[in-house]
Amino acid sequence: MSPVEIGLYSVLAIIVLVYLGLYIPIALGVVSFVSIWLMRDNFTLAMNLLKIAVGDSVMEYTFATVPLFTFMGLVVSKAGLGADIYKVMNYGFRRVKGGIGMATVGANAVFAAVTGSSIASASVFAKVSVPQMLHYDYNPRFAVGVVAGSSVLGMIIPPSAMLIIYSFVAEQSVGDMFLAGVVPGILLAIAYVGAIFAMGRLTPGFVGGRSGEDLEPLSWGEIAEKTLPILGLILVVLGGIYTGWLTPVEAGAAGALLGLVIAVVRRRMTLRGFWEALLETGHITAAILFLITAASIYSRMLGLAGLPNELGDILNETQLGFVWVMVIYVALMIFLGTLLDTASIILIMVPLFLPIVEPMGLSLVWFGIITVVGAEIGLLTPPLGISCFVIKATLDDDRIKLKDVFLGAIPFAFVMLIVLIVLIRFPALSLAILN
């Protein structure tokens, strides 16, 4: 077989192995290692490239952002800031049709700015928001759909683990990726709120619910107490990066320290909780490092196989322009989203399409935002739909089936697709802060 054929079969093998349940870094690493060995018939070369991949991943200074932002997110979750910001948002939207759903979106957007995790958002708001919506007679499918849809904001609004992974794969600045994610994240949150407003008017049966005017009123002092800590964290982290006073690593360190101080002051952090947060940070960091190392050897395998160049030649021969390249890219990501998780999609697709997109003169920062938003649609689509599974597992409510979560999330997946098309059509939205 030619190197191109080996490379093509390798990509297919990786997708099949991941779909069958093999851990994505193992699938990427083992298949890529064996493919390099077969292509060059040189075991030593494959070993040397593996050593280089490991060294490149471990020695990257910006990799320190991963444990720092992860720890900050875990500490903030333990401090109960997600529930606090939800109470404030809920009170603010109490008189609007679908107001609790809008409050969930707003709270998720703010919470995402300090956690960077869709899974954390899904688990927190499944516990906080869904029971509240059911209490006010909202349609159960709408209730879980809102939480599933808005949870993806955690992977778009910085600090985002997926933006960090993309920055390593595409060799882009983590700080630039963070700043580029702000406007698209806010745009998606606004689109969700608009969609809920429209659904409340056009399909009131799907939304359901009644006014929340009997909610316990909040004084200005209580509102300040619940919002200032999380707003302070956002100001320190994103404000520090935006002004240039802090690098992403320094912003992560400052945010982690401030989050820990807030948790201790609020008496939400015990020694046991602190130890659990450290352990979980270590587990998540090790998993992401393993992913990045596997992605590095995978990229080298694709380069040796010449698969990206071959794909680029095919697209040139068929004279496909920018629009069709993006249609193919988005369609592949949405298809893979029904089978794989977001990180897997990024690690498999980006090395394939990066050599095609770069010669077009397109911004790789913008391309990263498109990639993350497109891949995140997969969190809401069956059969994988990780956010939907997390919500079902967190609720543990026999009245709500997994089918209900997926059906409730479909309108929000459609809204995400519309926002993705807008971001592709107007790249300036993603690059507004950078420019």
Side-chain angles (χ1 to χ4, degrees):
M1 287 191 294
S2 67
V4 172
E5 290 174 327
I6 293 174
L8 182 60
Y9 286 130
S10 297
V11 175
L12 294 175
I14 288 168
I15 294 173
V16 171
L17 288 173
V18 172
Y19 182 61
L20 291 175
L22 188 64
Y23 189 38
I24 173 67
I26 294 176
L28 276 173
V30 171
V31 173
S32 299
F33 180 85
V34 173
S35 299
I36 293 171
W37 187 4
L38 291 174
M39 277 187 278
R40 291 293 186 265
D41 193 22
N42 190 330
F43 179 80
T44 304
L45 173 63
M47 283 299 298
N48 288 337
L49 287 178
L50 180 59
K51 291 176 185 176
I52 293 170
V54 174
D56 286 351
S57 303
V58 174
M59 296 303 290
E60 281 280 352
Y61 168 72
T62 50
F63 176 72
T65 54
V66 176
L68 292 170
F69 282 118
T70 300
F71 181 72
M72 181 179 72
L74 292 171
V75 168
V76 165
S77 296
K78 290 180 182 295
L81 296 188
D84 284 350
I85 199 69
Y86 169 74
K87 288 178 183 176
V88 174
M89 290 284 184
N90 203 10
Y91 183 69
F93 285 100
R94 67 191 183 281
R95 295 175 180 169
V96 184
K97 177 69 174 176
I100 299 181
M102 296 178 187
T104 302
V105 172
N108 246 317
V110 176
F111 191 62
V114 290
T115 58
S117 170
S118 293
I119 305 305
S121 296
S123 63
V124 167
F125 289 97
K127 294 175 185 174
V128 172
S129 179
V130 173
Q132 182 88 333
M133 281 193 269
L134 295 180
H135 174 72
Y136 282 94
D137 302 326
Y138 278 79
N139 185 330
R141 286 185 178 176
F142 172 77
V144 291
V146 169
V147 175
S150 58
S151 70
V152 302
L153 294 170
M155 290 301 185
I156 301 166
I157 296 176
S160 159
M162 292 304 111
L163 291 179
I164 293 173
I165 288 176
Y166 173 85
S167 70
F168 280 107
V169 175
E171 298 182 351
Q172 297 299 301
S173 163
V174 174
D176 287 351
M177 291 306 306
F178 280 0
L179 294 178
V182 173
V183 173
I186 294 174
L187 178 64
L188 182 59
I190 293 173
Y192 278 160
V193 171
I196 292 171
F197 182 83
M199 284 187 282
R201 297 297 180 274
L202 302 176
T203 57
F206 174 71
V207 176
R210 54 187 171 84
S211 171
E213 294 198 34
D214 59 340
L215 284 170
E216 183 180 343
L218 293 176
S219 67
W220 284 108
E222 289 173 315
I223 292 174
E225 180 186 348
K226 293 179 183 299
T227 57
L228 287 180
I230 200 165
L231 293 179
L233 267 172
I234 295 171
L235 181 64
V236 168
V237 175
L238 296 184
I241 295 173
Y242 178 69
T243 57
W245 291 347
L246 299 173
T247 66
V249 174
E250 292 167 345
L257 177 60
L258 182 56
L260 184 59
V261 169
I262 292 171
V264 170
V265 169
R266 289 183 150 211
R267 297 181 180 178
R268 302 281 182 89
M269 179 61 71
T270 62
L271 284 175
R272 180 181 177 82
F274 178 69
W275 178 245
E276 289 174 351
L278 286 176
L279 282 179
E280 194 169 349
T281 298
H283 292 157
I284 294 172
T285 302
I288 293 177
L289 175 59
F290 200 6
L291 276 171
I292 293 170
T293 301
S296 182
I297 187 69
Y298 169 68
S299 298
R300 286 170 168 79
M301 182 274 290
L302 290 179
L304 281 175
L307 198 58
N309 293 334
E310 188 72 17
L311 184 58
D313 292 341
I314 292 172
L315 293 176
N316 287 331
E317 287 173 9
T318 53
Q319 295 184 334
L320 293 179
F322 163 76
V323 173
W324 277 108
V325 170
M326 295 312 299
V327 167
I328 293 170
Y329 186 62
V330 171
L332 284 172
M333 282 196 296
I334 292 176
F335 169 71
L336 290 177
T338 65
L339 307 171
L340 308 176
D341 63 279
T342 307
S344 303
I345 297 169
I346 292 173
L347 296 176
I348 291 170
M349 293 293 291
V350 171
L352 274 173
F353 275 81
L354 214 57
I356 299 169
V357 171
E358 199 166 8
M360 293 182 175
L362 302 172
S363 166
L364 296 187
V365 173
W366 162 83
F367 185 64
I369 299 300
I370 299 302
T371 299
V372 172
V373 175
E376 284 293 293
I377 296 176
L379 287 182
L380 308 179
T381 52
L384 193 61
I386 295 174
S387 281
C388 296
F389 279 101
V390 169
I391 290 168
K392 178 66 179 86
T394 303
L395 283 175
D396 194 23
D397 188 334
D398 293 335
R399 294 174 298 173
I400 298 175
K401 308 297 182 185
L402 183 60
K403 174 185 175 182
D404 296 320
V405 185
F406 277 122
L407 288 175
I410 285 175
F412 298 94
F414 182 69
V415 171
M416 279 194 77
L417 182 58
I418 293 174
V419 170
L420 178 61
I421 293 170
V422 171
L423 292 174
I424 292 173
R425 177 63 182 83
F426 302 102
L429 290 172
S430 302
L431 305 173
I433 295 181
L434 287 175
N435 292 336

